[in-house]
Amino acid sequence: MTKIKVGIAGATGYTALEVARLLMAHPEAEVVAATSRAEDGNTLAEVHPSLAGRCDVPIENLDAKTIAGKCDVVMCCLPHGASAETVHALVQHDVRVIDFSADFRLSSLEVYEKWYGVKHPWPERVGKTVYGMPEFFADEIATADVVANPGCYPTSAILPLSPLVKSGLIETTDIIVDSKSGVSGAGRSAKVATLYCETNESIAAYAVGSHRHGPEINDLVSRIAGAPVQTLFTPHLTPMDRGILSTIYVRKNGHSVDEMMQCLRDQYAGSPFVNVVDHLPATKHVAGTNYVQMTVRDCGDRAVLVCVIDNLAKGASGAAIQNMNVMFGKPETMGLA
Amino acid sequence: MTKIKVGIAGATGYTALEVARLLMAHPEAEVVAATSRAEDGNTLAEVHPSLAGRCDVPIENLDAKTIAGKCDVVMCCLPHGASAETVHALVQHDVRVIDFSADFRLSSLEVYEKWYGVKHPWPERVGKTVYGMPEFFADEIATADVVANPGCYPTSAILPLSPLVKSGLIETTDIIVDSKSGVSGAGRSAKVATLYCETNESIAAYAVGSHRHGPEINDLVSRIAGAPVQTLFTPHLTPMDRGILSTIYVRKNGHSVDEMMQCLRDQYAGSPFVNVVDHLPATKHVAGTNYVQMTVRDCGDRAVLVCVIDNLAKGASGAAIQNMNVMFGKPETMGLA
Amino acid sequence: MTKIKVGIAGATGYTALEVARLLMAHPEAEVVAATSRAEDGNTLAEVHPSLAGRCDVPIENLDAKTIAGKCDVVMCCLPHGASAETVHALVQHDVRVIDFSADFRLSSLEVYEKWYGVKHPWPERVGKTVYGMPEFFADEIATADVVANPGCYPTSAILPLSPLVKSGLIETTDIIVDSKSGVSGAGRSAKVATLYCETNESIAAYAVGSHRHGPEINDLVSRIAGAPVQTLFTPHLTPMDRGILSTIYVRKNGHSVDEMMQCLRDQYAGSPFVNVVDHLPATKHVAGTNYVQMTVRDCGDRAVLVCVIDNLAKGASGAAIQNMNVMFGKPETMGLA
Amino acid sequence: MTKIKVGIAGATGYTALEVARLLMAHPEAEVVAATSRAEDGNTLAEVHPSLAGRCDVPIENLDAKTIAGKCDVVMCCLPHGASAETVHALVQHDVRVIDFSADFRLSSLEVYEKWYGVKHPWPERVGKTVYGMPEFFADEIATADVVANPGCYPTSAILPLSPLVKSGLIETTDIIVDSKSGVSGAGRSAKVATLYCETNESIAAYAVGSHRHGPEINDLVSRIAGAPVQTLFTPHLTPMDRGILSTIYVRKNGHSVDEMMQCLRDQYAGSPFVNVVDHLPATKHVAGTNYVQMTVRDCGDRAVLVCVIDNLAKGASGAAIQNMNVMFGKPETMGLA
């Protein structure tokens, strides 16, 4: 058996480390290349001491042709804008790409450029790239050259909302998504705001009504459900490394919570990572895994959906491995269960 | 100057410790008695090692007459039901009481008995006890024999909501209160659910739509604002010792967020502990203090209120000291600022 | 291929959950039975919601014959004393056992009974059971009916100390082992001392000079190195879920730190989980894995050894899986790397 | 009564915030000026949102003459080197200074320049500045123009060690100081190493045998005890905001632990912040306070001292307030108890 050869572009961050960590346990894939301008010349293990003794892949400056020549697929963990440029170059050298940035997630170029405040480097590709959520798009992912890996918050909202909107069990307006994320979602660059003593023992709302994952949630739920939805999205920074819990307030549409639970169970019966549960899930229940737990509670006119994921796993690198498995014809759960 | 003599009934929990801690720094009050069935014979410092060398008050078994004879006021930190009985006995021996339980907070005996699942031991007093929020009820508190100290979650919701409802700036229906609390709110009894390894690195919703603080929020906002309101309240257990952040989703009523901010600023101009701020407050900004920070953000049809308190201070023991100051004619901020 | 059938006795604690979690990812072993008096009738997933949708193994009351009939090996996660009794019964029904308790770790019955304060239920077996550290005892483990799975603190001390003592590079007296452990080491029973608000934001020494793992360290290092050693062992409770860091102060014996590093590198060249590293390791570098990282620093007359493990993995359940692999002729790293 | 007018130089860090926080509660002192190059033009409350509504002192660029003109005393929270220059300038303008840096703590210019790697800007003052530990140097502090505020780790080691060395109860060699500190000790500048996700859920040793607080401990214990001592000092970064616990391994010198406890009790009978306790203290027992708790345990040839402080309070800003009280003839505990 030949293993899938994986490259990691932008190897210094937490999602890159999580990709490497997960691939250590994958029986049919391996990291063969890694890039970072800042760490050129070091190995992955030197940048991430948790890989010591396990991963001496050298980090090089990114050259699309060189990387494409070594890899079957590149996990592109670069910031938005920079990522699209790199994805473009990689695709031209015939390597498949899983893009962790938001550059190809949205349907609309206009919405992208408004919310991200940049000119898109590869505008003609926007709206034509599959969204990397195998629960809904496995067939397209299987043959894609580029997969837009989903955002972390959107994953925790799209999965519970989409089937309920599609089936007409809930109203499409006045949906409130109150999300709580661990600090790893803020990345690994040196900033006062994410120092230990700033975020520890504290919870805070941020970007109220103005976070970029808001339009991503609206876009994808609308696309999957075939009906335009509008959500009010509020993220919170929570004192923990990993995990997202989204508490979602929806208006019932004459249907019971039991029907909602059944709708979700039916939708995800064939999805190995999505568990519709009776208990109220906590982020710890899925920490370090690619699993999703969700439930529904009745509150009069409204129902409350609670969904938890690990933001670095199902919210980023785990989903990327899941996508890679689908792209290369492996069982979806390989190396993840 | 004679110091106010304070007794603490139910001295083993976190609110009792916080009362003792705060009184150490109070210039005109002192702990003179403490009770606990379980710790009878020990001193406060033996039960709470953070008081070592500072507080050798002996803990005794609660006898209402004895305690009443020593104290000007008793902080009653007992569980609901048990508390009302003790409050009744203490009042009969002519000592003033600040009751930390929910036994005298609600207007309606029926609502109390439904939500708390017990027969009230002193039913005729329900609905006739002042709610210990000096921001609204200082005059009644000043002369009260019994003060019902507010619940922690309710404090974080009543303070931002009441002025906005009263002034008609927001609608009274479909108010969503999504609250996040530190673990000390769950108390100090030995339970698996609040072990370190169960709650650390995890956030979870609990009692969705069924928490007892829901009716307290509705009751008090309705009372203060003079208009019946209905809220959907969801508490979350957050991995931190202290703090509550409430994210409150309200419908605008044809008024701007600027008007809401001004309304809150006007309301609390004379309230030394309530700060209406421009930044998005984090619980750490008020940790260990009696302060409240709140702000409002615009989100289309809705506005989002964010309010933070320290659940053990303004949410319990700090408010109790503030009430005590008012009851004994001291400046509201004495020992707290 | 037939999978190894694994039973878990005492299925409610953190080590049992970790065994189950690790076996989910093991390609050639599976949990087939679980026991707990308290949870008889539930499933593993009902007791541990992180297994929801993944593990419907029913929990039953322990009956040695029944369990032995279903399993190739039983992971015995019971308290000391109770464990030895169960191990005895299981062995009589011809099932192999990995015992997580301390009941068969020590060489001396007298030392055991003194430190554990109980009469040993199977005294003739004490001193005749292999210590489950494949780095030193793989051959005996391969054929053992019972393996005494090592203690967590001892693992972090025995691994760095033994080769250095054996080679004569350090003195055998006045060795100081200052260890820091995450809270999961204290177990999952309801106790005030391990409530979140007692241990969070705090570090404390406990059992100074009197912890039961002290004699285990002395016994094993002496046994492996062939020379009696005496250590002073101080454990500390650290506010984190997982991880042990041991800082070990040894007297140099006329040899350099370079020689010590080389000695450790030579010793562990063939040990897949032990990494001798140049950086100062943190517990996070091995969190969630079966890896060990260790290094040596020069401090004049003394050298300082620093060793990190994950207390639930290499310090308990990971080591157990490693032992199981050795017992059943699998590669040592199967399901762990 | 005229309040003591306090200036804070270097107002952006955690120690500066802690000074401001403590002075809010001080009845006879107040912050009147604050400086920071980076935050010139903002107020203290704008830099530290926890002061919102409570402290509108403007931050200005440091000009020694201007500051000296406004203040009775300046808390100088600048980095070493820069601090000595500023202290020099301030003293020339006749304002008293409490210096948080290490610039004037050591007896020897040579040791300073070796360990801090800089030319000292005011060398003639080295060795002639009182060390700000009122437990030993209150008389000199009372009249000092400059007080060298002690280091955090040194405070936790000097207080338990000095009396025992002085009284001859322990040996002066082979003293091992294993210290564990919360992350606030690492300051508030943006660095990857102190990001939340790097330090949370992890403990690590650092600067083993090479930390600058090692010579400070040796210098001060030797000075106070009148006997040269040599310690091996190892600091550890612990996942908590505040607190230092030092576990100190000393050789007994033919005396009992009871004698050591008595020696410490006698020494600190008149020191309001130092408590010699029977229990094993945890950092949480002193969190947020200026208190010190210490105890001694017997371990054969050695005794183990355990001492806890809050690194930001008694280890920095609390000690500074205590020193200020002594300098201005106030009760030592004013604003701190």
Side-chain angles (χ1 to χ4, degrees):
Chain A
M1 181 203 67
T2 316
K3 290 193 172 188
I4 306 167
K5 295 188 195 71
V6 184
I8 305 176
T12 58
Y14 293 127
T15 53
L17 170 58
E18 184 75 357
V19 165
R21 183 182 81 84
L22 288 168
L23 288 176
M24 297 288 130
H26 197 288
E28 302 188 13
E30 61 184 333
V31 182
V32 299
T35 82
S36 159
R37 203 160 33 194
E39 298 286 350
D40 184 12
N42 287 322
T43 67
L44 269 181
E46 283 164 338
V47 174
H48 300 294
S50 59
L51 302 174
R54 298 199 274 158
C55 187
D56 56 3
V57 171
I59 298 177
E60 55 197 299
N61 214 326
L62 194 155
D63 175 77
K65 190 176 172 188
T66 310
I67 293 299
K70 295 181 190 174
C71 301
D72 299 312
V73 62
V74 175
M75 303 285 187
C76 192
C77 304
L78 296 169
H80 67 84
S83 195
E85 268 184 73
T86 301
V87 171
H88 195 189
L90 288 166
V91 166
Q92 287 177 315
H93 289 95
D94 281 325
V95 66
R96 300 171 87 179
V97 184
I98 297 171
D99 180 25
F100 283 55
S101 86
D103 286 351
F104 302 102
R105 291 184 198 150
L106 300 180
S107 310
S108 152
L109 180 63
E110 193 188 340
V111 172
Y112 175 86
E113 296 194 338
K114 176 186 157 202
W115 282 81
Y116 286 85
V118 294
K119 212 73 201 132
H120 198 291
W122 192 11
E124 51 272 36
R125 184 63 195 246
V126 173
K128 293 173 193 143
T129 306
V130 64
Y131 192 75
M133 193 170 268
E135 288 77 6
F136 294 107
F137 305 112
D139 289 349
E140 292 171 68
I141 292 166
T143 59
D145 57 344
V146 180
V147 170
N149 210 50
C152 50
Y153 287 121
T155 297
S156 73
I158 295 164
L159 286 169
L161 278 173
S162 299
L164 299 179
V165 172
K166 189 175 187 181
S167 63
L169 294 176
I170 60 173
E171 294 189 9
T172 57
T173 57
D174 204 21
I175 295 169
I176 290 167
V177 180
D178 187 292
S179 295
K180 299 89 177 168
S181 173
V183 183
S184 59
R188 196 166 168 255
S189 56
K191 281 174 293 190
V192 168
T194 48
L195 289 179
Y196 184 85
C197 293
E198 301 291 314
T199 53
N200 186 45
E201 290 292 294
S202 194
I203 187 164
Y206 67 101
V208 178
S210 64
H211 193 283
R212 289 157 171 175
H213 283 175
E216 186 176 334
I217 296 169
N218 290 340
D219 187 346
L220 266 294
V221 176
S222 300
R223 240 196 280 172
I224 294 168
V229 302
Q230 207 61 33
T231 62
L232 194 175
F233 170 59
T234 309
H236 297 76
L237 200 61
T238 310
M240 56 189 191
D241 278 357
R242 291 157 164 257
I244 288 178
L245 180 141
S246 286
T247 314
I248 306 176
Y249 300 88
V250 299
R251 291 186 165 285
K252 293 192 293 187
N253 197 3
H255 295 274
S256 73
V257 160
D258 285 351
E259 288 172 279
M260 295 181 200
M261 287 287 280
Q262 193 54 49
C263 166
L264 294 171
R265 288 208 164 94
D266 292 346
Q267 174 68 48
Y268 295 117
S271 295
F273 292 113
V274 183
N275 290 309
V276 183
V277 298
D278 291 320
H279 64 269
L280 278 168
T283 58
K284 198 161 207 163
H285 299 155
V286 297
T289 81
N290 203 49
Y291 288 93
V292 181
Q293 293 191 0
M294 63 177 68
T295 198
V296 188
R297 285 292 186 275
D298 192 22
C299 292
D301 293 341
R302 287 195 176 259
V304 179
L305 321 179
V306 179
C307 180
V308 295
I309 63 167
D310 181 316
N311 63 306
L312 287 181
K314 182 60 179 169
S317 307
I321 304 291
Q322 188 185 355
N323 282 318
M324 181 193 77
N325 286 337
V326 174
M327 290 165 83
F328 290 86
K330 309 291 182 191
E332 208 172 314
T333 58
M334 185 175 270
L336 289 171
Chain B
M1 181 202 67
T2 316
K3 290 193 171 189
I4 306 167
K5 295 190 196 69
V6 184
I8 305 176
T12 58
Y14 294 127
T15 53
L17 170 58
E18 185 75 358
V19 165
R21 183 182 83 83
L22 288 168
L23 288 177
M24 296 290 129
H26 197 289
E28 302 188 13
E30 62 184 332
V31 182
V32 299
T35 81
S36 159
R37 202 160 34 192
E39 298 286 350
D40 183 12
N42 288 322
T43 67
L44 268 181
E46 282 163 339
V47 173
H48 300 293
S50 60
L51 301 175
R54 297 199 274 158
C55 186
D56 54 4
V57 172
I59 297 178
E60 54 199 297
N61 215 326
L62 194 155
D63 176 77
K65 190 176 173 188
T66 310
I67 294 299
K70 296 183 190 174
C71 301
D72 299 312
V73 61
V74 175
M75 304 285 188
C76 191
C77 304
L78 296 169
H80 66 85
S83 197
E85 269 183 73
T86 301
V87 171
H88 194 188
L90 288 166
V91 167
Q92 288 178 311
H93 290 94
D94 281 323
V95 66
R96 300 171 87 179
V97 184
I98 298 172
D99 178 25
F100 283 55
S101 87
D103 286 351
F104 301 102
R105 292 183 198 151
L106 300 179
S107 310
S108 152
L109 179 64
E110 192 188 341
V111 172
Y112 175 85
E113 296 194 340
K114 176 185 158 201
W115 283 81
Y116 286 84
V118 293
K119 230 32 221 157
H120 198 292
W122 191 12
E124 51 271 36
R125 184 64 194 245
V126 173
K128 292 175 194 143
T129 306
V130 65
Y131 193 75
M133 192 171 267
E135 288 76 8
F136 295 107
F137 303 112
D139 290 348
E140 291 172 67
I141 293 166
T143 59
D145 58 344
V146 180
V147 170
N149 211 49
C152 51
Y153 287 121
T155 297
S156 73
I158 295 164
L159 286 169
L161 279 173
S162 299
L164 299 178
V165 172
K166 189 175 188 180
S167 63
L169 293 176
I170 61 173
E171 295 189 8
T172 56
T173 57
D174 205 22
I175 296 169
I176 291 167
V177 179
D178 187 291
S179 296
K180 298 89 176 168
S181 173
V183 183
S184 59
R188 195 164 169 255
S189 56
K191 282 175 291 188
V192 168
T194 47
L195 289 178
Y196 184 86
C197 293
E198 301 291 312
T199 54
N200 186 43
E201 289 293 291
S202 194
I203 187 165
Y206 66 101
V208 178
S210 63
H211 193 282
R212 289 158 171 174
H213 284 175
E216 185 176 334
I217 295 170
N218 290 340
D219 187 347
L220 268 294
V221 175
S222 301
R223 242 197 279 172
I224 295 169
V229 302
Q230 206 62 32
T231 62
L232 193 175
F233 170 59
T234 309
H236 296 76
L237 199 61
T238 310
M240 55 190 192
D241 278 358
R242 290 159 166 257
I244 287 178
L245 180 141
S246 286
T247 314
I248 306 175
Y249 300 87
V250 299
R251 292 188 164 283
K252 292 193 293 189
N253 198 3
H255 296 274
S256 74
V257 159
D258 284 351
E259 288 172 278
M260 294 180 200
M261 287 287 280
Q262 193 54 49
C263 165
L264 294 171
R265 288 208 165 94
D266 292 346
Q267 173 70 48
Y268 295 116
S271 295
F273 292 113
V274 183
N275 290 309
V276 182
V277 299
D278 290 321
H279 64 269
L280 278 169
T283 57
K284 199 162 205 163
H285 299 155
V286 296
T289 81
N290 202 49
Y291 288 94
V292 180
Q293 293 192 0
M294 63 176 71
T295 196
V296 188
R297 285 292 185 277
D298 192 21
C299 293
D301 293 341
R302 286 196 177 258
V304 178
L305 322 179
V306 179
C307 179
V308 295
I309 63 166
D310 181 317
N311 62 306
L312 286 182
K314 181 61 178 168
S317 308
I321 304 291
Q322 187 184 354
N323 282 318
M324 180 194 77
N325 287 337
V326 174
M327 291 165 82
F328 289 84
K330 309 291 181 190
E332 208 173 316
T333 58
M334 185 174 273
L336 289 170
Chain C
M1 180 202 66
T2 316
K3 291 192 172 189
I4 306 167
K5 296 188 196 69
V6 184
I8 304 176
T12 58
Y14 293 127
T15 53
L17 170 58
E18 184 75 358
V19 165
R21 183 182 81 84
L22 289 168
L23 288 176
M24 296 289 129
H26 197 290
E28 302 188 12
E30 61 183 333
V31 182
V32 299
T35 81
S36 160
R37 204 161 31 194
E39 298 287 350
D40 184 12
N42 288 321
T43 67
L44 269 181
E46 282 164 338
V47 174
H48 301 294
S50 60
L51 302 174
R54 298 199 275 158
C55 187
D56 55 2
V57 172
I59 298 179
E60 54 199 298
N61 214 326
L62 195 155
D63 175 77
K65 189 175 171 188
T66 310
I67 294 299
K70 295 181 191 173
C71 302
D72 299 312
V73 62
V74 175
M75 305 284 188
C76 191
C77 304
L78 296 169
H80 66 86
S83 197
E85 268 183 73
T86 302
V87 172
H88 194 187
L90 289 165
V91 168
Q92 287 178 314
H93 289 95
D94 282 322
V95 65
R96 302 172 86 179
V97 184
I98 298 172
D99 179 24
F100 283 55
S101 87
D103 286 351
F104 302 102
R105 292 182 197 151
L106 300 179
S107 308
S108 153
L109 180 63
E110 194 189 338
V111 172
Y112 175 86
E113 295 193 339
K114 176 185 157 202
W115 282 82
Y116 286 84
V118 293
K119 217 62 207 140
H120 198 291
W122 192 11
E124 52 271 37
R125 185 62 195 247
V126 173
K128 292 174 192 143
T129 306
V130 65
Y131 193 76
M133 193 171 265
E135 288 77 8
F136 294 107
F137 305 112
D139 289 351
E140 291 171 67
I141 292 166
T143 59
D145 57 344
V146 180
V147 170
N149 210 50
C152 52
Y153 287 121
T155 297
S156 72
I158 295 164
L159 286 168
L161 278 172
S162 299
L164 299 178
V165 172
K166 189 175 187 180
S167 63
L169 294 176
I170 61 173
E171 293 189 9
T172 57
T173 57
D174 204 22
I175 295 169
I176 290 166
V177 179
D178 187 292
S179 296
K180 297 90 178 167
S181 173
V183 182
S184 59
R188 195 164 169 257
S189 55
K191 282 174 292 189
V192 168
T194 48
L195 289 179
Y196 184 85
C197 293
E198 301 291 312
T199 54
N200 185 43
E201 289 292 294
S202 193
I203 187 164
Y206 66 100
V208 178
S210 64
H211 193 281
R212 289 157 172 175
H213 284 174
E216 185 175 334
I217 295 169
N218 291 340
D219 186 346
L220 266 293
V221 176
S222 301
R223 240 196 278 172
I224 294 168
V229 302
Q230 207 62 31
T231 62
L232 194 175
F233 170 60
T234 309
H236 297 76
L237 201 60
T238 309
M240 56 191 191
D241 277 358
R242 288 158 166 258
I244 288 178
L245 180 140
S246 286
T247 314
I248 306 176
Y249 300 88
V250 297
R251 293 187 162 284
K252 292 193 293 188
N253 197 3
H255 296 275
S256 72
V257 159
D258 285 352
E259 288 173 279
M260 294 180 201
M261 287 287 279
Q262 194 54 50
C263 166
L264 293 171
R265 288 208 165 93
D266 292 347
Q267 174 68 48
Y268 294 116
S271 294
F273 292 113
V274 183
N275 291 309
V276 183
V277 299
D278 290 321
H279 64 268
L280 278 169
T283 57
K284 198 161 206 164
H285 299 156
V286 297
T289 82
N290 202 48
Y291 289 93
V292 180
Q293 293 192 359
M294 61 176 70
T295 196
V296 188
R297 285 292 186 276
D298 192 20
C299 292
D301 293 342
R302 287 196 175 258
V304 179
L305 321 179
V306 179
C307 180
V308 295
I309 64 167
D310 181 316
N311 62 306
L312 286 182
K314 182 61 179 168
S317 308
I321 305 291
Q322 189 184 354
N323 283 318
M324 180 194 75
N325 286 337
V326 174
M327 291 165 83
F328 290 84
K330 310 291 181 191
E332 208 173 314
T333 58
M334 184 174 272
L336 289 170
Chain D
M1 180 203 66
T2 316
K3 290 192 172 190
I4 306 167
K5 296 189 195 71
V6 184
I8 304 176
T12 59
Y14 294 127
T15 53
L17 171 57
E18 184 75 357
V19 164
R21 184 182 80 84
L22 289 168
L23 287 177
M24 296 290 128
H26 197 290
E28 301 187 13
E30 62 184 332
V31 183
V32 298
T35 82
S36 159
R37 202 159 35 193
E39 297 287 351
D40 184 11
N42 289 321
T43 67
L44 269 181
E46 282 164 339
V47 174
H48 300 294
S50 60
L51 302 175
R54 298 200 274 158
C55 187
D56 55 2
V57 171
I59 298 178
E60 54 197 299
N61 215 327
L62 194 155
D63 176 77
K65 191 175 171 189
T66 311
I67 294 299
K70 297 181 191 173
C71 302
D72 299 311
V73 62
V74 175
M75 304 284 186
C76 190
C77 304
L78 296 169
H80 66 85
S83 195
E85 269 184 72
T86 301
V87 172
H88 194 187
L90 288 167
V91 167
Q92 288 177 313
H93 289 93
D94 282 323
V95 65
R96 301 171 86 180
V97 184
I98 297 172
D99 179 25
F100 282 56
S101 87
D103 286 351
F104 301 102
R105 292 182 198 151
L106 300 179
S107 310
S108 153
L109 180 63
E110 194 188 340
V111 172
Y112 175 85
E113 295 194 339
K114 176 184 156 202
W115 282 82
Y116 286 84
V118 293
K119 211 81 198 123
H120 198 291
W122 192 11
E124 51 271 38
R125 184 63 195 246
V126 173
K128 293 174 195 141
T129 307
V130 64
Y131 192 76
M133 193 171 266
E135 287 77 8
F136 295 106
F137 305 112
D139 290 348
E140 292 172 67
I141 292 166
T143 60
D145 58 344
V146 180
V147 170
N149 210 50
C152 52
Y153 287 122
T155 297
S156 73
I158 295 164
L159 286 169
L161 278 173
S162 299
L164 299 178
V165 172
K166 189 175 189 181
S167 63
L169 294 177
I170 61 172
E171 295 190 8
T172 58
T173 58
D174 205 21
I175 295 169
I176 290 167
V177 179
D178 188 290
S179 296
K180 299 88 177 168
S181 173
V183 183
S184 58
R188 195 163 169 257
S189 56
K191 281 175 293 191
V192 169
T194 46
L195 289 179
Y196 184 85
C197 293
E198 300 292 312
T199 53
N200 185 45
E201 288 293 293
S202 194
I203 186 165
Y206 66 101
V208 178
S210 64
H211 193 283
R212 288 157 171 176
H213 284 175
E216 185 176 334
I217 296 169
N218 291 339
D219 187 345
L220 267 294
V221 176
S222 301
R223 239 196 280 172
I224 295 168
V229 301
Q230 206 62 32
T231 61
L232 194 176
F233 170 60
T234 308
H236 297 76
L237 199 62
T238 309
M240 55 190 192
D241 278 358
R242 291 157 164 259
I244 289 179
L245 180 141
S246 286
T247 314
I248 306 177
Y249 301 88
V250 299
R251 291 187 165 286
K252 293 192 293 189
N253 198 4
H255 295 274
S256 72
V257 159
D258 285 351
E259 288 172 278
M260 295 180 200
M261 287 287 280
Q262 194 54 49
C263 166
L264 293 170
R265 288 208 166 94
D266 292 345
Q267 174 68 50
Y268 295 116
S271 295
F273 292 113
V274 184
N275 290 309
V276 183
V277 299
D278 290 321
H279 64 269
L280 278 168
T283 57
K284 199 160 207 163
H285 299 156
V286 297
T289 81
N290 202 48
Y291 289 93
V292 181
Q293 293 192 0
M294 61 176 71
T295 196
V296 189
R297 285 292 185 277
D298 191 22
C299 293
D301 293 342
R302 287 195 176 259
V304 179
L305 322 179
V306 178
C307 180
V308 296
I309 63 167
D310 181 316
N311 63 305
L312 286 181
K314 182 62 180 168
S317 308
I321 304 294
Q322 189 184 354
N323 281 318
M324 181 194 76
N325 286 338
V326 174
M327 291 166 82
F328 289 85
K330 310 290 182 191
E332 208 173 314
T333 58
M334 185 175 272
L336 289 170

